Amino acid sequence: MTTVENTGNRRLSPEELEAFGAEMEAIRQRIVADLGEKDSAYIYDIVKKQRAFELAGRALFYLPVIGWVPAVACLSISKILDNMEIGHNVMHGQYDWMGDPDLNSRMFDWDTMAPAENWKYGHNYMHHTFTNIVGKDRDVGYGILRMDEDQKWHPYYLGNPLYAFLLMTFFEWGVAMHDLEVDELVAGRRTWAENKEIGARIWRKVKKQTLKDYVLFPLLTGPLAPLTFAGNFTANIIRNIWTFNIIFCGHFPAGVASFSQEECEDETQGHWYYRQLLGSANITGGRIFHIMSGNLSHQIEHHLFPDLPARRYPEIADEVREICERYDLAYNTGPLHQQLWGVFKKICKYALPDRKKPASVGVESTPALATEVAA
């Protein structure tokens, strides 16, 4: 059954779903046909700025005491840009059409503990194919949190708020370990043998990142090595906190829907687009905010069109919203503090045992019909 925590969505007929999907696909095809110089110039400019911030940060660590705070600020911005607007989007294949090996999804690797190959399978395929399908999309709770009523409650989940805080603080580590599916190992549904190659990639990447941030760069600053070590650690934590909050506000605030595996069997293209819409939320903000979020502040557009350059999401957002209005579908958006509050309440709510299951209307005959449930 589909669970929707706000009113404003309605069941679409198969014909409406087909029409809705066709309108979304038309947007995608139009943007694909329009890709060109402005898009390549944009990503090259972002890469240039990211490298400039990193160089500034590394250089400022050579200034005792007075340079530490601006160094950490510059390095944090660099790591956020590398993670969000460059790494995430490049590894989605958004710039493969350029033919630049440095921006090719098969070759790019980012400045985090998570190996690119593992992440692309778990995120690009598993998450974007099965978005918010409980039991299929492992990003629902990341195998750590209970974020949906259809996840069976266990006393373990009383620690939801603590687990969320730790995941936020060390998010790059959580993403790196995500594909080991430790919860599945504990449940006996996965074996260590299945994790051998995945684990080997994680170990290689962790060694590389640890050597770079916590050995090589600190040693290069000589007697200032302890300050540089602390600065690199702080910049990583800042990047982790920012990334966690942007991602969780796009996936788990109030009003985001979840789906059962049964209703998504034999899914049509129209229902896939419909599910992406209902399973996402946007965050309002200015241009710099959108860039620093990798334009994942437009998570609705990203889930609808994951392979389009993210810089295009703001320009198509109004069109997507207008289509939603015509179909009487909610376009979930709000300021950062509002979406964060919704996420926080959900983390706390699902830490506790269920008091009463909300009434719901199932989809009995046509899997492509989503159902609204008012909380």
Side-chain angles (χ1 to χ4, degrees):
M1 118 199 13
T2 305
T3 301
V4 183
E5 294 194 348
N6 72 324
T7 57
N9 294 305
R10 68 181 182 86
R11 172 182 310 192
L12 297 185
S13 68
E15 293 75 21
E16 287 175 313
L17 279 171
E18 183 177 358
F20 177 79
E23 292 199 55
M24 291 299 167
E25 184 61 21
I27 294 174
R28 181 184 175 277
Q29 293 298 333
R30 187 183 75 240
I31 298 300
V32 168
D34 188 53
L35 296 178
E37 186 177 346
K38 289 183 179 179
D39 300 283
S40 59
Y42 174 84
I43 192 62
Y44 282 136
D45 183 59
I46 293 295
V47 170
K48 182 179 178 180
K49 286 181 169 60
Q50 180 268 324
R51 291 174 178 172
F53 275 112
E54 181 173 11
L55 287 173
R58 300 297 181 193
L60 285 166
F61 278 128
Y62 287 91
L63 299 178
V65 185
I66 62 171
W68 194 84
V69 171
V72 170
C74 287
L75 195 57
S76 298
I77 293 171
S78 168
K79 287 177 174 289
I80 288 170
L81 288 173
D82 176 87
N83 194 151
M84 305 294 280
E85 185 70 318
I86 302 172
H88 173 275
N89 295 334
V90 167
M91 289 194 295
H92 259 295
Q94 294 179 6
Y95 296 97
D96 283 0
W97 56 273
M98 290 171 53
D100 185 339
D102 291 334
L103 297 172
N104 186 279
S105 61
R106 293 186 298 277
M107 303 178 188
F108 188 90
D109 200 2
W110 51 1
D111 181 37
T112 81
M113 296 292 178
E117 187 174 349
N118 290 359
W119 181 85
K120 283 184 286 188
Y121 175 78
H123 182 81
N124 291 5
Y125 174 64
M126 292 300 295
H127 172 58
H128 278 275
T129 302
F130 305 110
T131 307
N132 280 22
I133 299 178
V134 178
K136 293 287 286 184
D137 180 6
R138 287 190 47 76
D139 281 15
V140 178
Y142 284 78
I144 299 172
L145 305 172
R146 184 175 186 240
M147 298 300 295
D148 189 273
E149 64 182 11
D150 287 333
Q151 292 174 275
K152 185 178 179 181
W153 186 83
H154 185 276
Y156 161 84
Y157 290 118
L158 290 170
N160 237 26
L162 174 62
Y163 310 147
F165 176 78
L166 293 174
L167 180 60
M168 174 181 70
T169 306
F170 303 103
F171 193 56
E172 64 174 323
W173 292 91
V175 174
M177 303 302 171
H178 185 40
D179 289 305
L180 290 175
E181 300 189 22
V182 175
D183 56 323
E184 294 294 296
L185 285 169
V186 172
R189 294 186 292 267
R190 189 177 179 88
T191 66
W192 286 107
E194 292 176 277
N195 275 346
K196 184 178 180 180
E197 185 56 36
I198 293 171
R201 286 194 289 266
I202 293 172
W203 177 238
R204 288 194 296 269
K205 189 66 190 298
V206 166
K207 286 194 296 183
K208 176 182 176 182
Q209 290 297 122
T210 301
L211 180 65
K212 177 180 73 71
D213 272 347
Y214 302 122
V215 179
L216 177 60
F217 278 114
L219 287 177
L220 287 174
T221 57
L224 299 175
L227 285 174
T228 305
F229 180 100
N232 288 343
F233 178 79
T234 303
N236 282 327
I237 297 299
I238 291 171
R239 183 269 318 281
N240 291 345
I241 293 172
W242 176 259
T243 305
F244 172 94
N245 283 297
I246 294 297
I247 290 175
F248 269 59
C249 284
H251 293 81
F252 304 117
V256 170
S258 64
F259 303 80
S260 70
Q261 296 182 47
E262 291 74 21
E263 70 185 290
C264 296
E265 292 178 357
D266 302 320
E267 188 175 52
T268 65
Q269 184 187 51
H271 187 265
W272 183 88
Y273 274 121
Y274 186 54
R275 177 163 54 82
Q276 302 307 315
L277 169 70
L278 295 185
S280 317
N282 283 7
I283 315 167
T284 57
R287 183 172 182 271
I288 293 177
F289 174 77
H290 293 316
I291 291 173
M292 292 296 288
S293 73
N295 278 291
L296 296 183
S297 46
H298 292 88
Q299 191 67 236
I300 291 173
E301 286 71 28
H302 176 59
H303 274 160
L304 291 169
F305 313 110
D307 60 341
L308 294 185
R311 67 170 291 269
R312 295 295 193 121
Y313 298 155
E315 75 179 65
I316 62 178
D318 286 343
E319 186 175 359
V320 171
R321 189 167 191 163
E322 185 275 328
I323 293 172
C324 292
E325 290 174 355
R326 284 195 280 108
Y327 285 88
D328 293 330
L329 302 174
Y331 184 89
N332 190 335
T333 187
L336 182 62
H337 70 272
Q338 174 184 307
Q339 304 294 44
L340 275 174
W341 179 240
V343 171
F344 175 74
K345 288 195 296 182
K346 188 173 286 189
I347 289 171
C348 294
K349 172 184 176 181
Y350 292 125
L352 302 174
D354 298 322
R355 293 184 178 180
K356 184 175 69 173
K357 193 82 170 179
S360 60
V361 181
V363 181
E364 298 180 357
S365 58
T366 308
L369 298 181
T371 306
E372 175 198 349
V373 178

